[in-house]
């Protein structure tokens, strides 16, 4: 293709390659971005998206390939160099330093304050106090601040990695609008996301990676989703529909988990529900409505302020996660980094609950451990090519490890907090499938998700929490997005009996 | 599209997967240098002596290695060892050998429990906690010394046999050390307790989430560390044969250095006692080399400190974990 001066791509990466030890992360990745375009970068977990992003932004050096910015060959030795060339990333993990306040963080990055505040307001955060410690801000706010900080430097190419993961829907809308405006103003955006609805709304083209190589570059048009998924997976998929709806929980006897008028922290004020074995109860809430506190209490991380929790009819108080585990509760927290022993092996990560109690401190039966761990790895299809430390695994595989741990040691009640945050379609489907299977085998599952589209796929019923209170419980079959949305915004007066 | 991996990266990766190899190479290089500078010095007798002196160091370094797995440290270890040695030597003439040894181990257990209580239950940083208990221990030892000034001290024959004796050229201390090292390696690799040490150092929150009550692990760990330090004190006084109030003090910094040179991360979650053993041998050989240089004591210390820092920096670099 012959470019004229005006449609010379602002960023043109060809044949990028990168190896880590025995693992080839990228072997032939290419990405072209024209001025004023929003390009979606897509791929399953482990396809090499993160590595490509790190190379484009100077955090890693490629082993091969070419990178052209505005037609000239460039190679960035550091993130600073990439920034100077106009390439500014917003990564998945918040980048503000937790122990500094927002103003200090801005000074540290030489961010101009006026434009920053302009963007913060444009992105829908109205009550920001510049002297608040970054570590005290909720995750959603931190993500918005990262984006505002990037926008304040007027980047030529903005690189957004799962920007909308963990954002409540109202903020997602604002973010999409701002990004679209950027493109209309002639700036370019590389947009990494697993959410097709956003990509359809926002992007001009999609570049698809698989196994470290670019396998497709398509214009976004109706029906492109199926094509992208095919490219990502390398095979045609049967339409998404996990095991269809099942007879309602065998609701005889006391519930596995009963929660009555539970209150905790400053945000959770009044939540009641029952969860039976064999049932998956979805939880839907906007950011910070008390769902974190609910999961913390049920997982033994935090004491309740009021109300009762019963397990099989008997009231319980958890003083330590070990108490919760003894009662059959297994918590998979929202943040993978909280759950994983990053410097240890997959095996040790999966086996640790088996060793926690003093009576298991003695000699480990290596064979039985290996059998259990292997079974769990196979059941979750964890890719363990990157042997050794868990931190070398891709995000999706790390998430699988956090779940495999409990699969290996047996689950009574599984508390899943946003397990599909920032992981690819295939892994998501595997996780839903697993959730259904575990429920069929008798586990009770409480499943918080920030993606409403997941609800009908995995859940039997859905509880909606707004402002610390449970405002509605409905059958998942009735839980279409508009209805969930209204409830999550508190636009319903219906209170469960 | 071919990808190129530089030789440097290849070597780095190999060393990362086999961290013992550069250590053993370094040890051999040091021995070779010694032999070149002073031909004939490396003989059976010298090897035996080196091992004899490396063993107490390696044992004290076990306290540092195990606590470092959790991201901690035990700076009271040398004080505990000194107390046990001193109390034993002064009590043996009064109450006999076995009761004297058993009585001497009591303060070791107490200080260990106190460390574990402070770190595991009160949440005091291990550095501060063990520095504090070490100071308290030293104070108690000085008070104790005044009360026993008249009784004199005796280092039992059995401990001298263990500390200094040889059988067929091999130091008798190996009778204690070989089972000890096997036990430590077994604990770290094959027991739930050992796994939990690494787990706490890797991510304490994740460990708690998996049901680990961390205070139990810390309490057991620091008590074990106190016990090991105590046994080291008994062995070391058998080697030196003269108890004093600062008997084991000279091994304090080297015990930390041996663990760090051996590849154990002070931030926790990584390391192995096998590295520590090689680290202790390296430091002992280094000590011999510096003695042979016939430098004044001050100069020797400067050089020793500088070499430890350089070794640690180089080692961390070539086995770079990132």
């Amino acid at each position: 293709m012959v470019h004229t001066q005006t449609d010379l791509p602002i960023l043109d990466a060809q044949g990028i390659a990168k190896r880590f030890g025995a693992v080839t992360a990228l072997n032939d990745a290419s990405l072209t971005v024209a001025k004023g375009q929003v390009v979606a970068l897509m791929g399953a977990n482990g396809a090499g998206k993160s590595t490509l992003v790190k190379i484009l932004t100077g955090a890693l050096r490629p082993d091969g390939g070419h990178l052209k910015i505005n037609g000239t060959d460039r190679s960035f030795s550091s993130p600073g160099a990439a920034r100077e060339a106009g390439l500014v990333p917003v990564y998945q993990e918040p980048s503000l330093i937790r122990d500094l306040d927002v103003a200090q963080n801005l000074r540290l990055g030489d961010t101009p304050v006026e434009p920053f505040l302009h963007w913060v307001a444009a992105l829908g955060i109205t009550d920001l106090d510049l002297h608040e410690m970054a570590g005290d801000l909720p995750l959603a706010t931190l993500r918005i601040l990262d984006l505002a900080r990037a926008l304040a430097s007027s980047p030529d190419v903005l690189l957004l990695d799962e920007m909308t993961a963990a954002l409540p829907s109202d903020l997602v809308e604002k973010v999409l609008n701002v990004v679209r405006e950027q493109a209309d103003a002639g700036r370019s955006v590389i947009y990494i996301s697993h959410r097709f609805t956003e990509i359809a709304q926002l992007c001009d083209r999609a570049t698809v990676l698989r196994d470290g190589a670019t396998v497709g570059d398509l214009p976004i048009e109706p029906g492109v989703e199926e094509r992208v998924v095919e490219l990502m997976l390398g095979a045609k998929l049967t339409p998404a529909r996990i095991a269809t709806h099942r007879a309602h929980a065998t609701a005889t006897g006391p519930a596995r988990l009963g929660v009555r008028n539970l209150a905790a922290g400053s945000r959770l004020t009044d939540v009641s529900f029952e969860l039976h074995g064999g049932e998956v109860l979805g939880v839907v809430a906007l950011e910070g409505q008390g769902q974190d506190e609910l999961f913390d209490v049920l997982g033994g991380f935090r004491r309740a302020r009021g109300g009762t929790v019963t397990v099989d009819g008997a009231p319980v108080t958890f003083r330590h996660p070990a108490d919760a585990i003894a009662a059959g509760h297994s918590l998979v927290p929202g943040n993978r980094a909280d759950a994983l022993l990053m410097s240890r092996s997959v095996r040790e990560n999966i086996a640790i609950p088996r060793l926690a109690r003093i009576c298991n401190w003695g000699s480990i039966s290596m064979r039985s451990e290996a059998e259990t761990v292997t079974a769990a790895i196979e059941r979750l299809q964890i890719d363990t090519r990157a042997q050794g430390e868990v931190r070398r695994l891709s995000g999706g595989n790390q998430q699988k490890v956090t779940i495999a741990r409990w699969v290996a040691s047996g689950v009574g009640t599984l508390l899943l907090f946003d397990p599909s945050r920032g992981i690819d379609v295939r892994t998501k489907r595997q996780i839903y499938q697993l959730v259904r299977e575990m429920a069929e085998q008798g586990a009770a599952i409480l499943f918080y998700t920030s993606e409403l589209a997941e609800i009908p796929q995995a859940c039997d019923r859905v509880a909606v929490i707004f402002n610390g209170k449970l405002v509605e419980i409905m059958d998942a079959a009735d839980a279409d997005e508009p209805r969930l949305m209204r409830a999550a915004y508190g636009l319903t007066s219906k209170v469960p009996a | 599209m071919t990808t190129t991996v530089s030789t440097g990266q290849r070597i780095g990766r190999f060393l990362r997967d086999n961290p013992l190899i550069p250590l053993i190479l370094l040890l051999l290089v040091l021995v070779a240098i010694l032999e070149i500078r002073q031909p004939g010095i490396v003989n059976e007798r010298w090897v035996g002596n080196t091992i004899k002196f490396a063993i107490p160091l390696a044992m004290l370094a076990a306290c540092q290695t195990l606590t470092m797995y959790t991201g901690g440290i035990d700076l009271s270890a040398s004080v505990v060892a000194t107390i046990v040695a001193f109390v034993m030597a002064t009590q043996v003439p009064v109450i006999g050998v076995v009761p004297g040894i058993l009585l001497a181990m009591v303060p070791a257990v107490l200080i260990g429990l106190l460390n574990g209580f402070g770190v595991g239950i009160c949440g005091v940083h291990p550095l501060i906690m063990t520095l504090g208990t070490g100071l308290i221990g030293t104070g108690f030892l000085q008070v104790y010394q005044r009360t026993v000034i008249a009784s004199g001290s005796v280092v039992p024959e059995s401990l001298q046999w263990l500390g200094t004796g040889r059988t067929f050229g091999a130091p008798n201390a190996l009778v204690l050390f070989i089972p000890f090292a096997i036990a430590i390696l077994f604990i770290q690799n094959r027991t739930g307790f050992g796994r939990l040490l690494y787990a706490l150092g890797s991510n304490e929150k994740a460990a708690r989430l998996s049901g680990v009550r961390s205070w139990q692990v810390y309490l057991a760990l620091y008590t074990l560390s106190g016990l090991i330090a105590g046994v080291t004190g008994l062995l070391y006084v058998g080697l030196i044969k003269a108890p004093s109030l600062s008997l084991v003090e000279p091994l304090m910094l080297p015990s930390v250095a041996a663990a760090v040179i051996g590849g154990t991360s002070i931030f926790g979650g990584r390391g192995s006692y096998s590295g520590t053993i090689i680290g202790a041998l390296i430091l002992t050989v280094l000590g011999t080399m510096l003695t042979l240089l016939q430098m004044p004591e001050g100069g020797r210390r400067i050089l020793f400190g500088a070499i430890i820092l350089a070794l640690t920096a180089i080692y961390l670099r070539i086995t770079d974990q990132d």
Side-chain angles (χ1 to χ4, degrees):
Chain A
M1 185 172 163
V2 180
H3 290 288
T4 64
Q5 192 59 36
T6 47
D7 71 353
L8 190 71
I10 185 148
L11 180 147
D12 187 17
Q14 295 296 331
I16 304 288
K18 179 78 190 171
R19 286 171 60 86
F20 298 102
V23 181
T24 303
L26 293 177
N27 53 46
D28 185 12
S30 303
L31 176 68
T32 310
V33 183
K35 207 162 150 45
Q37 260 191 348
V38 183
V39 178
L41 180 60
M42 308 193 70
N45 286 330
K49 291 187 306 283
S50 305
T51 310
L52 180 58
V53 165
K54 283 184 183 155
I55 288 171
L56 294 179
T57 55
L60 282 177
R61 308 201 74 164
D63 298 329
H66 307 281
L67 174 61
K68 283 186 179 161
I69 303 289
N70 268 328
T72 46
D73 266 311
R74 295 295 296 263
S75 132
F76 301 128
S77 53
S78 71
R83 215 170 265 273
E84 265 168 40
L87 226 88
V88 178
V90 178
Y91 289 122
Q92 254 185 71
E93 299 305 324
S95 66
L96 296 188
I97 294 169
R98 300 176 57 83
D99 297 326
L100 295 181
D101 68 24
V102 178
Q104 288 165 331
N105 265 295
L106 293 180
R107 242 171 281 143
L108 202 63
D110 266 336
T111 309
V113 176
E114 282 307 317
F116 171 78
L117 290 176
H118 161 76
W119 287 115
V120 169
L123 288 165
I125 303 273
T126 47
D127 55 350
L128 178 69
D129 175 3
L130 282 180
H131 298 294
E132 186 142 18
M133 285 292 170
D136 294 339
L137 295 170
L139 181 61
T141 307
L142 289 175
R143 306 270 296 145
I144 294 290
L145 296 188
D146 275 346
L147 177 57
R149 203 155 69 133
L151 289 167
S153 62
S154 312
D156 292 331
V157 181
L158 185 62
L159 201 151
L160 303 178
D161 189 358
E162 290 293 345
M163 181 62 220
T164 52
L167 285 192
S169 323
D170 52 336
L171 290 181
V172 170
E173 213 50 50
K174 292 256 171 41
V175 168
L176 296 184
N177 286 337
V178 166
V179 171
R180 196 61 249 175
E181 284 164 25
Q182 285 284 302
D184 293 343
R187 302 177 190 284
S188 311
V189 181
I190 300 171
Y191 193 80
I192 300 176
S193 175
H194 294 305
R195 301 182 179 183
F196 281 114
T197 47
E198 290 172 9
I199 286 166
Q201 233 177 312
L202 186 66
C203 300
D204 302 302
R205 284 172 35 236
T207 295
V208 184
L209 284 179
R210 186 177 72 234
D211 298 335
T214 297
V215 291
D217 184 4
L218 327 162
I220 300 290
E221 54 199 14
V224 75
E225 290 91 338
E226 278 309 309
R227 181 80 192 111
V228 169
V229 171
E230 266 171 48
L231 283 172
M232 280 200 298
L233 305 182
K236 232 179 152 72
L237 262 193
T238 49
R241 194 73 197 174
I242 314 301
T244 45
H245 279 275
R246 34 271 140 184
H248 240 188
T250 46
T252 49
R256 169 73 56 73
L257 172 65
V259 172
R260 274 266 141 245
N261 306 114
L262 192 68
S266 57
R267 292 193 293 204
L268 188 72
T269 49
D270 183 12
V271 165
S272 306
F273 62 83
E274 287 195 336
L275 176 60
H276 291 268
E279 186 186 24
V280 183
L281 176 63
V283 175
V284 166
L286 302 176
E287 186 80 11
Q289 303 299 312
Q291 66 271 38
D292 307 71
E293 287 80 357
L294 172 65
F295 276 73
D296 283 354
V297 168
L298 296 178
F301 253 115
R302 182 197 281 265
R303 302 273 197 102
R305 188 158 50 75
T308 53
V309 177
T310 57
V311 171
D312 294 325
V316 289
T317 309
F318 301 142
R319 293 189 172 78
H320 188 279
D323 295 332
I325 290 166
H329 285 203
S330 310
L331 175 64
V332 175
N335 188 352
R336 293 193 279 276
D338 286 342
L340 292 171
L341 312 171
M342 288 293 181
S343 61
R344 308 304 300 174
S345 65
V346 171
R347 176 176 177 149
E348 288 190 36
N349 268 278
I350 292 178
I352 180 172
R354 296 159 54 93
L355 310 170
R357 296 172 59 199
I358 289 186
C359 53
N360 299 323
W361 281 11
S363 164
I364 300 170
S365 159
M366 297 307 260
R367 187 188 293 174
S368 106
E369 181 184 278
E371 279 168 9
T372 318
V373 168
T374 310
I377 287 177
E378 275 169 14
R379 180 148 181 210
L380 273 90
Q381 300 166 40
I382 298 171
D383 180 352
T384 52
R385 269 179 312 169
Q387 283 294 333
E389 303 181 359
V390 156
R391 69 199 168 102
R392 292 181 204 286
L393 297 182
S394 69
N397 278 311
Q398 287 184 353
Q399 186 69 66
K400 286 178 178 178
V401 172
T402 64
I403 301 174
R405 173 184 291 167
W406 300 114
V407 170
S409 52
V411 173
T413 306
L414 184 63
L415 310 164
L416 282 173
F417 195 93
D418 220 1
S420 52
R421 186 178 130 203
I423 61 180
D424 69 276
V425 182
R426 184 167 54 173
T427 309
K428 272 182 198 171
R429 287 188 187 172
Q430 287 172 347
I431 288 178
Y432 303 150
Q433 185 89 49
L434 183 78
V435 163
R436 289 306 333 165
E437 280 172 24
M438 290 200 288
E440 269 149 38
Q441 289 160 11
I445 298 172
L446 192 67
F447 178 53
Y448 168 74
T449 174
S450 54
E451 278 186 64
L452 301 183
E454 295 180 348
I455 292 290
Q457 291 190 44
C459 305
D460 298 306
R461 292 187 300 152
V462 198
V464 183
I465 299 177
F466 175 71
N467 202 16
K469 297 184 175 60
L470 195 148
V471 291
E472 195 164 355
I473 286 196
M474 59 184 111
D475 271 344
D478 307 332
D480 51 9
E481 286 195 44
R483 188 166 169 205
L484 286 172
M485 211 41 140
R486 282 177 56 81
Y489 277 94
L491 299 175
T492 171
S493 52
K494 217 173 101 186
V495 175
Chain B
M1 189 78 230
T2 55
T3 55
T4 52
V5 181
S6 75
T7 328
Q9 280 173 307
R10 234 173 255 235
I11 293 174
R13 199 169 308 128
F14 176 75
L15 295 181
R16 190 177 63 216
D17 297 338
N18 304 280
L20 274 188
I21 287 175
L23 288 174
I24 293 172
L25 285 178
L26 177 63
L27 180 61
L28 294 179
V29 167
L30 287 177
V31 173
I33 294 176
L34 202 60
E35 176 67 19
I36 290 166
R37 283 194 58 92
Q38 200 118 350
I41 187 174
V42 179
N43 54 25
E44 192 192 312
R45 190 179 169 72
W46 178 84
V47 171
N49 262 331
T50 302
I51 293 174
K52 201 165 74 181
F53 279 92
I55 284 174
L57 177 57
M59 287 181 66
L60 203 66
C63 302
Q64 313 306 343
T65 308
L66 293 175
T67 49
M68 274 186 202
Y69 290 163
T70 67
I73 196 165
D74 188 354
L75 296 180
S76 65
S78 65
V79 175
V80 170
T82 306
I83 291 175
V84 170
F86 195 87
V87 171
M88 182 278 301
T90 48
Q91 288 300 320
V92 163
V94 186
I95 58 176
V97 174
V98 173
I101 289 178
L102 290 179
L103 181 67
M105 289 302 285
V106 172
V109 174
L110 288 180
I111 292 179
L113 280 170
L114 188 59
N115 283 335
F117 176 79
V119 172
I121 295 166
C122 305
V124 182
H125 192 282
L127 192 85
I128 302 299
M129 189 65 213
T130 56
L131 208 56
T133 51
L135 206 59
I136 294 170
T138 308
F140 269 113
L141 187 59
Q142 283 169 2
V143 173
Y144 170 80
Q145 184 205 20
R146 300 217 181 132
T147 67
V148 293
I149 235 153
S151 65
S153 69
V154 170
V155 177
E157 288 290 323
S158 53
L159 288 181
Q160 294 195 26
W161 177 86
L162 195 63
T164 54
R166 286 156 179 272
T167 307
F168 305 121
N172 295 337
L174 286 172
V175 173
L176 176 67
F177 185 70
I178 290 175
F180 172 83
I182 291 173
I184 297 290
L185 289 170
F186 183 80
I187 288 174
Q188 72 169 32
N189 293 329
R190 292 296 184 95
T191 68
F193 177 68
R195 288 276 187 84
L196 295 186
L197 298 182
Y198 289 113
L200 284 178
S202 185
N203 186 348
E204 180 162 356
K205 186 169 182 185
R208 283 177 49 210
L209 194 83
S210 305
V212 179
R213 295 182 196 269
S214 48
W215 66 269
Q216 297 173 335
V217 183
Y218 287 128
L219 199 63
L221 167 64
Y222 283 92
T223 309
L224 176 66
S225 180
L227 275 171
I228 294 173
V231 174
T232 308
L234 295 177
L235 178 70
Y236 197 61
V237 78
L239 178 62
I240 303 293
K241 295 181 195 158
S244 74
L245 291 184
S246 59
L247 178 74
V248 194
E249 210 46 52
L251 294 190
M252 186 61 236
L253 184 63
S255 75
V256 177
V260 173
I261 290 176
T264 298
S265 164
I266 55 166
F267 302 111
R270 282 197 193 92
S272 172
Y273 186 58
S274 46
T276 303
I277 297 172
I278 310 287
L281 282 168
I282 288 175
L283 289 178
T284 310
V285 172
L286 215 64
T288 319
M289 284 174 79
L290 292 177
T291 314
L292 287 180
L293 286 179
Q294 295 180 337
M295 267 192 182
E297 175 69 12
R300 274 215 316 257
R301 288 193 178 192
I302 292 172
L303 209 56
F304 192 62
I307 290 174
I308 289 175
L309 291 180
L311 277 184
T312 312
I314 294 168
Y315 182 71
L316 289 182
R317 227 184 145 70
I318 57 174
T319 60
D320 185 19
Q321 276 106 4
D322 286 311

